[in-house]
Amino acid sequence: MKLQSDESCGVIGVIHARGGSKRIPLKNIKLLAGRPLIAYMVDAAMESRLLDRVIVSTDHPEIAKIAREHGAEVPFMRPADLSEDVASELVTQHAVQFVEERGYPVRIALTMQPTTPFCTSEDIDACIAKMLETDLDTVFTACEVHERPEWMYWLNGSCVLPFTGTLVKGDAGISQKLQKLYIPNGAVWATRRSVLMDQGLITGPNSGIVVMSRERSVDIDEPVDFVTAEAMANELMKVRV
């Protein structure tokens, strides 16, 4: 299939939402402040000004049903070999290949996770806009690191050793004097098609970030994370009122 020119290709969001979750069964549709978890990311994506299509990749009919109710496309059910713990790039690649085989060329693909529910359409559009305005391979959402690697240790038998190999002393013990560091918060990765499909990467070697606050970067992985997210959701609703 011959693809159109880069300028005429689409920008698609692929929301990963499989049914299997070992720590929290059916996590993606568990209620958070009265709404299914996946609804937060779908709603944010649907409100984006720069996404051309919003696709949910799932293997579970109830997740598919809720995603469609919130306006997302679910044009396929994820195959069994991609429904276990597999690399995220394989899931996004599958979605891109699916739409391109049906005549829809892709320019930029966004990998999006429902487990970071407080991502907004503004965050999504900021990632896409930075991609369109630069030659970056990838732009992903991130938050500032507060758990400093300089202060971390690893266990070596009965004693611990500095993770960085350097003992903490002087200014190294003062967080305000350390260089700011950032970590992906799990919400959005915008990746050029060539990097995703030809290099097999979601995060390319030439990447940029969109910074989200620590509060909005809650990433739900363990049951206790739902407690934090519930409190955060209630606080955000107060602000909006």
Side-chain angles (χ1 to χ4, degrees), residues 64-80:
K65 176 177 177 290
I66 292 171
R68 290 189 180 105
E69 287 173 351
H70 285 262
E73 299 178 50
V74 189
F76 55 80
M77 295 302 286
R78 194 190 298 188

Side-chain angles (χ1 to χ4, degrees), residues 101-190:
E101 286 176 348
R102 286 151 183 80
Y104 189 89
V106 173
R107 178 183 186 185
I108 296 170
L110 274 66
T111 300
M112 309 166 76
Q113 308 282 1
T115 48
T116 310
F118 306 125
C119 175
T120 67
S121 59
E122 288 81 7
D123 299 318
I124 295 168
D125 283 344
C127 288
I128 299 170
K130 188 170 284 191
M131 290 286 285
L132 297 175
E133 294 164 0
T134 67
D135 294 326
L136 292 170
D137 298 328
T138 311
V139 176
F140 58 86
T141 53
C143 64
E144 187 178 343
V145 168
H146 290 263
E147 294 77 15
R148 300 294 309 191
E150 297 92 340
W151 302 344
M152 293 181 180
Y153 291 79
W154 64 280
L155 190 61
N156 182 29
S158 60
C159 68
V160 293
L161 297 174
F163 176 72
T164 62
T166 304
L167 290 173
V168 177
K169 62 179 181 178
D171 287 351
I174 304 171
S175 61
Q176 292 88 346
K177 295 192 175 183
L178 295 173
Q179 182 177 1
K180 287 187 177 182
L181 300 176
Y182 300 89
I183 188 169
N185 66 3
V188 177
W189 286 262

Side-chain angles (χ1 to χ4, degrees), residues 16-91:
H16 295 200
R18 68 188 181 97
S21 176
K22 295 180 176 65
R23 297 185 185 92
I24 308 173
L26 287 178
K27 171 174 62 178
N28 287 312
I29 54 175
K30 182 178 172 65
L31 294 183
L32 173 64
R35 299 169 62 201
L37 180 60
I38 191 173
Y40 288 82
M41 185 59 84
V42 172
D43 288 349
M46 293 302 298
E47 291 170 6
S48 164
R49 297 178 296 102
L50 300 178
L51 273 176
D52 297 313
R53 295 177 69 173
V54 178
I55 295 171
V56 170
S57 174
T58 186
D59 60 335
H60 196 279
E62 185 62 21
I63 295 176
K65 176 177 177 290
I66 292 171
R68 290 189 180 105
E69 287 173 351
H70 285 262
E73 299 178 50
V74 189
F76 55 80
M77 295 302 286
R78 194 190 298 188
D81 62 328
L82 294 180
S83 297
E84 301 300 324
D85 291 323
V86 299
S88 295
E89 56 265 26
L90 298 179
V91 177

